[in-house]
Amino acid sequence: ILIGLPPLTLDTRVTKLFWTPFTSVTSEFSGLHGDTKVFSSDIPKTNEFLVGTTNGSLLLYNYSYNSQNDNVTFHEVSSSVFPLPALPANLTTVIPTTGDINNDSTWDIVVGGNTGEVYLSVNTGNLTTPNWTPFEALKNNVTNTVVQFNGTSSPLLVDYDLDTTPQTGGGLDLLVTSSGDEAIHYFI
């Protein structure tokens, strides 16, 4: 995570960072046409990341880095090789984030988007053979009502309160911003 304007301070907890002008990677994303915007989330401990688009797609890409020529190459992973969960039908803008929600050493997916809701799909399989639960809208645990944000919701899973330890694992917190207000909503 970069903080401020150049010269920038780098958050040392970030494991991968690509500073690549979009013009140099557009051919790698040739399947995304028109004015589609791309939102991505790096998947911990892999060379993969999820891409959400404004045309209702959730795609998995992997990348390789060649240090000799400082070149990054991206490749879409076929859904037949690594299937992803089906998105909610009403979600046209998809903004993904990934993290291990249930501390089982597999990554789970949280998506936000145009509906203002945030959805969770848990991987009950493993890293090579995923088994996804259907996306379910997050609910308020007191009122049992779906949490609804004003505008497009953008989730981020991060250990905001730094309560993760090697012994306990877990500790991810959900931060959500929305296009309809200037607040950052924080959930433990």
Side-chain angles (χ1 to χ4, degrees):
I1 297 172
L2 295 176
I3 303 168
L5 297 174
L8 301 169
T9 303
L10 182 64
D11 183 334
T12 56
R13 294 175 291 176
V14 174
T15 59
K16 298 176 184 86
L17 178 65
F18 295 115
W19 193 283
T20 306
F22 189 71
T23 55
S24 66
V25 297
T26 53
S27 63
E28 305 288 352
F29 298 98
S30 59
L32 307 177
H33 299 288
D35 65 350
T36 299
K37 295 177 185 167
V38 174
F39 308 95
S40 68
S41 176
D42 186 44
I43 299 170
K45 300 178 185 175
T46 71
N47 285 349
E48 298 172 332
F49 62 98
L50 280 180
V51 171
T53 70
T54 54
N55 64 2
S57 298
L58 183 63
L59 309 168
L60 180 65
Y61 279 81
N62 66 21
Y63 60 88
S64 58
Y65 175 70
N66 184 331
S67 60
Q68 293 178 339
N69 64 7
D70 200 32
N71 186 36
V72 178
T73 306
F74 301 90
H75 303 281
E76 184 175 352
V77 177
S78 167
S79 60
S80 63
V81 173
F82 194 92
L84 293 171
L87 291 166
N90 59 342
L91 201 59
T92 57
T93 297
V94 181
I95 304 174
T97 187
T98 59
D100 185 2
I101 298 289
N102 56 357
N103 202 23
D104 65 352
S105 299
T106 65
W107 53 275
D108 307 305
I109 303 172
V110 176
V111 296
N114 58 292
T115 64
E117 298 172 351
V118 176
Y119 300 90
L120 169 65
S121 178
V122 175
N123 180 1
T124 60
N126 58 49
L127 293 174
T128 56
T129 310
N131 182 30
W132 302 102
T133 63
F135 275 108
E136 187 174 327
L138 297 183
K139 293 183 178 181
N140 180 311
N141 62 354
V142 174
T143 64
N144 201 34
T145 57
V146 172
V147 177
Q148 180 73 42
F149 296 95
N150 185 18
T152 300
S153 57
S154 301
L156 177 65
L157 289 170
V158 62
D159 185 11
Y160 181 74
D161 56 5
L162 302 176
D163 63 351
T164 300
T165 67
Q167 294 79 24
T168 63
L172 288 179
D173 306 301
L174 176 64
L175 301 177
V176 179
T177 61
S178 64
S179 62
D181 58 35
E182 296 180 5
I184 296 176
H185 307 275
Y186 169 63
F187 303 90
I188 298 175

